[in-house]
């Protein structure tokens, strides 16, 4: 699977997707980045459809992009493909609600934290 590297590529990957429905599964809304214990990840209904991780880059940047003063956890924070944490994400599709979700794993010392955010096309920027 070739990595998505631009906002245009990400928008194109989502083009023609079915209209999302409200999620009633264990994932919940996930409007901003949320920690999601592995037992809440609904493996049977999820399909990985893309990756934003470029395997040629050993250590992607930790720089974030917030041109409108948002923060990492803000539901309206921009989705900037080449910036943290998006440059470490995979894109998943939920068969039950038709939503696309971004997922990455945060590592810190002995802590492993899976994080999930709904992929809102209106938030995608360059």
């Amino acid at each position: 699977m070739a990595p998505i590297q631009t906002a245009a590529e990400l928008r194109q990957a989502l083009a023609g997707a079915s209209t999302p429905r409200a999620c009633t599964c264990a994932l919940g809304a996930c409007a901003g980045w949320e920690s999601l214990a592995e037992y809440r990840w609904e493996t049977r209904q999820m399909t990985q459809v893309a990756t934003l991780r470029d395997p040629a880059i050993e250590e992607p940047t930790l720089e974030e992009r917030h041109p409108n003063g948002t923060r990492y956890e803000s539901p309206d924070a921009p989705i900037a493909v080449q910036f943290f944490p998006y440059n470490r994400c995979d894109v998943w599709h939920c068969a039950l609600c038709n939503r696309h979700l971004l997922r990455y794993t945060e590592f810190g010392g002995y802590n492993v934290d899976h994080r999930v955010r709904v992929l809102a096309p209106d938030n995608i920027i360059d």
Side-chain angles (χ1 to χ4, degrees):
M1 173 177 316
I4 290 175
Q5 297 183 329
T6 67
E9 289 175 0
L10 183 52
R11 283 187 200 99
Q12 183 178 10
L14 298 175
S18 300
T19 304
R21 295 183 296 276
C23 187
T24 58
C25 67
L27 293 178
C30 300
W33 285 111
E34 294 186 26
S35 293
L36 189 76
E38 194 64 24
Y39 72 86
R40 286 182 51 208
W41 183 250
E42 301 280 355
T43 303
R44 291 174 300 197
Q45 68 202 44
M46 297 296 178
T47 303
Q48 184 179 352
V49 296
T51 187
L52 307 182
R53 295 181 296 161
D54 185 343
I57 299 174
E58 188 172 321
E59 190 60 39
T61 185
L62 292 172
E63 182 181 346
E64 296 180 30
R65 181 135 195 264
H66 297 281
N68 297 322
T70 55
R71 296 176 43 91
Y72 165 89
E73 68 280 355
S74 301
D76 59 341
I79 297 169
V81 174
Q82 295 186 359
F83 291 85
F84 180 82
Y86 308 100
N87 57 2
R88 298 163 189 254
C89 288
D90 293 319
V91 180
W92 294 81
H93 177 259
C94 177
L96 291 181
C97 64
N98 282 324
R99 294 186 305 165
H100 284 86
L101 300 136
L102 295 162
R103 185 178 192 215
Y104 83 102
T105 303
E106 182 79 36
F107 295 97
Y110 295 105
N111 187 37
V112 174
D113 188 10
H114 302 289
R115 306 237 176 129
V116 176
R117 177 184 180 186
V118 71
L119 202 171
D122 292 342
N123 290 345
I124 300 170
I125 65 167
D126 288 308

